[in-house]
Amino acid sequence: SLSTGPLGSFRYNPRPMSFGLSRGKPLDISTYGLTGEDLPALPDDLLQNPEKAWVDPRQWFEHPDRPFELEIGSGKGTFLAQQAGLQPETNFLGIEWAREFFAYAADRMRRNRIENVRMLHFDASEFVRWRVPTGIVKVLHLYFADPWPKPRHHKRRMVQDQFLAEAFRIIEPGGELRIVTDHADYWAWMEEHFARWCDPAHQWQGKPMHYERHDFERPASAGEGEVVGTNFERKYIAEGRTFNAAILVRPDDKDPA
């Protein structure tokens, strides 16, 4: 497994950023943190045989047979650190693109000996599309993703048709995609996508594929007045922002395709 590879003795010094989380000290990500360098190269025939690029992240844990949940955009790892303690029989992988946030989160898991969490520094959309095997994710968490508010940047938003198709593929039957945002325009964008993808007649590239929509249920780790309990959410609560949330469930009667 990658957790016993070269990162076993690696001390990670992120590039200088404005966050100052490390306070000038190296962050130790050994065992708990992985980067793109730990992933095998993509095969030359990727488009013809995408399964050749798959890497099973469940194997990065001591108990790979346990239920597996994935969070996109984990920040400093606050949600994972809170929720993983309440679900010790579940493995969690957090993906974070900001180098210092990733390193801080991995070091945080190590310091607190949260054995059922791993952190990955990688592009989440690319990882979901090309690296994650079909039907292995019980819950996919997407909280307070970058809204990319300028129209010319909307193509960079995480919630797109392609992402919803790949999420459907990697989520197990009966599994969930859980989404929260504070951005009204991004929520309207999501609602437009949800309306199409939650239509039982919806198809993607000629194949039947739809979600069932459910009201959002707060995770047990959320504090009073919180929806999820991330650092971003706590900042936004102080600013008086409102939140919108939904759960999309992959029906049991559909096979991932």
Side-chain angles (χ1 to χ4, degrees):
S1 85
L2 294 180
S3 61
T4 58
L7 290 184
S9 59
F10 187 61
R11 294 182 68 79
Y12 192 74
N13 242 329
R15 293 174 182 171
M17 298 179 76
S18 62
F19 309 122
L21 299 177
S22 67
R23 301 183 184 276
K25 299 178 181 179
L27 297 169
D28 186 354
I29 67 169
S30 48
T31 300
Y32 294 85
L34 301 103
T35 72
E37 295 178 358
D38 295 290
L39 303 177
L42 293 172
D44 293 335
D45 58 345
L46 174 64
L47 297 180
Q48 293 76 25
N49 298 289
E51 67 279 357
K52 288 186 178 180
W54 291 352
V55 177
D56 191 345
R58 296 173 296 181
Q59 300 302 318
W60 301 346
F61 298 85
E62 183 178 358
H63 301 285
D65 56 324
R66 291 176 174 175
F68 175 71
E69 300 191 13
L70 175 64
E71 184 187 21
I72 292 176
S74 299
K76 293 186 286 185
T78 298
F79 167 71
L80 294 177
Q82 296 170 163
Q83 191 65 25
L86 299 178
Q87 294 179 242
E89 300 301 313
T90 297
N91 292 327
F92 293 86
L93 174 65
I95 305 178
E96 177 53 49
W97 182 242
R99 292 169 63 91
E100 191 166 8
F101 280 170
F102 152 75
Y104 179 88
D107 183 68
R108 180 183 193 176
M109 304 308 164
R110 180 196 60 80
R111 285 185 285 107
N112 291 282
R113 299 181 180 179
I114 305 176
E115 303 286 350
N116 58 328
V117 175
R118 296 290 183 270
M119 292 297 305
L120 174 66
H121 179 234
F122 202 71
D123 182 293
S125 61
E126 293 297 306
F127 189 74
V128 167
R129 182 170 186 181
W130 300 115
R131 296 298 195 171
V132 182
T134 293
I136 70 167
V137 178
K138 185 176 181 64
V139 182
L140 179 57
H141 305 268
L142 181 63
Y143 302 138
F144 303 101
D146 193 327
W148 294 104
K150 295 181 180 179
R152 69 176 183 272
H153 292 157
H154 284 180
K155 62 185 178 182
R156 301 181 184 178
R157 288 174 165 174
M158 183 62 66
V159 175
Q160 309 275 356
D161 287 329
Q162 183 68 54
F163 170 75
L164 292 172
E166 294 300 338
F168 187 95
R169 179 185 66 80
I170 69 173
I171 292 172
E172 66 182 38
E176 300 176 350
L177 170 59
R178 300 170 62 93
I179 298 179
V180 181
T181 184
D182 65 294
H183 196 274
D185 180 67
Y186 194 12
W187 179 247
W189 167 282
M190 292 181 185
E191 288 276 37
E192 186 273 327
H193 284 74
F194 296 166
R196 289 185 288 104
W197 278 85
C198 294
D199 180 349
H202 180 264
Q203 294 191 349
W204 173 253
Q205 296 181 347
K207 298 179 181 179
M209 192 178 297
H210 81 279
Y211 292 95
E212 296 174 352
R213 182 168 176 171
H214 295 252
D215 291 337
F216 193 84
E217 296 181 1
R218 300 187 322 134
S221 60
E224 184 176 354
E226 296 177 342
V227 180
V228 179
T230 70
N231 280 82
F232 278 119
E233 180 186 354
R234 289 166 183 167
K235 172 185 174 182
Y236 297 155
I237 288 175
E239 296 174 358
R241 301 192 194 187
T242 58
F243 307 123
N244 289 291
I247 296 177
L248 304 186
V249 176
R250 183 184 173 281
D252 280 317
D253 59 350
K254 296 281 196 244
D255 291 325

